[in-house]
Amino acid sequence: MKNLTFYHAGCPVCVSAEQEVLSFVDQSRFNLSIIHLGEKRDFMDKAKEFGVSSVPALVTEEGQVLHINFGASIDDL
Amino acid sequence: MKNLTFYHAGCPVCVSAEQEVLSFVDQSRFNLSIIHLGEKRDFMDKAKEFGVSSVPALVTEEGQVLHINFGASIDDL
């Protein structure tokens, strides 16, 4: 199983993107973690290290960042 | 099978996003089409109708648009 992390902040754009990501990710092969950065502030530094600059964003195990649409800048969380 | 369409323009950001999307989409449940808008100009109007404003973008069967990172504006293609 490979890890995928979906970072969000509970915003409408985030919730909508989360529903899509949950629907199409192959969860038999990927372990998908959902992290609400507004609630889990401890993960903020890690997200920034990966290069997450806005939410929602999907980060692969290899550190590839896919910023999906634009909900909020990470600096505004 | 539900349809998912990945629109791109062959740019480096597009190619990178395409690799990720191909890897994690559950292709046992989703029929994923890859459309290069630079080569298939006929699809441009359809993409714009869905609300695709930049590539790469992933569009669901229901017409939800996920703009992934930013490769190029659709108006520049």
Side-chain angles (χ1 to χ4, degrees):
Chain A
M1 296 282 278
K2 288 182 120 180
N3 293 309
L4 266 182
T5 309
F6 182 81
Y7 293 100
H8 73 110
C11 57
V13 171
C14 295
V15 170
S16 171
E18 181 183 340
Q19 286 169 344
E20 299 306 332
V21 168
L22 278 173
S23 78
F24 61 65
V25 165
D26 183 351
Q27 295 194 52
S28 69
R29 293 187 299 114
F30 287 87
N31 180 23
L32 181 63
S33 306
I34 311 280
I35 296 188
H36 188 316
L37 285 175
E39 294 172 354
K40 296 186 175 171
R41 312 289 301 178
D42 296 355
F43 286 85
M44 192 71 89
D45 287 347
K46 198 171 176 191
K48 284 184 181 173
E49 257 173 53
F50 280 127
V52 173
S53 61
S54 64
V55 288
L58 192 61
V59 180
T60 69
E61 189 166 296
E62 295 80 13
Q64 277 270 20
V65 180
L66 302 180
H67 293 101
I68 300 173
N69 293 336
F70 180 86
S73 167
I74 202 161
D75 294 325
D76 294 333
L77 301 183
Chain B
M1 296 282 277
K2 286 181 121 182
N3 293 308
L4 265 181
T5 308
F6 182 81
Y7 292 100
H8 74 108
C11 58
V13 170
C14 293
V15 171
S16 171
E18 181 182 340
Q19 287 168 345
E20 300 306 333
V21 168
L22 278 173
S23 79
F24 61 65
V25 165
D26 183 350
Q27 296 193 52
S28 70
R29 293 188 298 114
F30 287 87
N31 179 23
L32 181 62
S33 306
I34 312 280
I35 297 189
H36 188 316
L37 285 175
E39 294 172 354
K40 297 187 175 171
R41 312 289 300 178
D42 296 355
F43 286 85
M44 191 70 90
D45 287 345
K46 199 171 174 188
K48 284 184 181 173
E49 256 172 55
F50 280 128
V52 173
S53 60
S54 64
V55 286
L58 191 61
V59 180
T60 69
E61 188 166 296
E62 294 80 12
Q64 276 272 17
V65 181
L66 302 180
H67 293 100
I68 300 173
N69 293 338
F70 180 87
S73 166
I74 202 162
D75 293 326
D76 294 334
L77 301 184

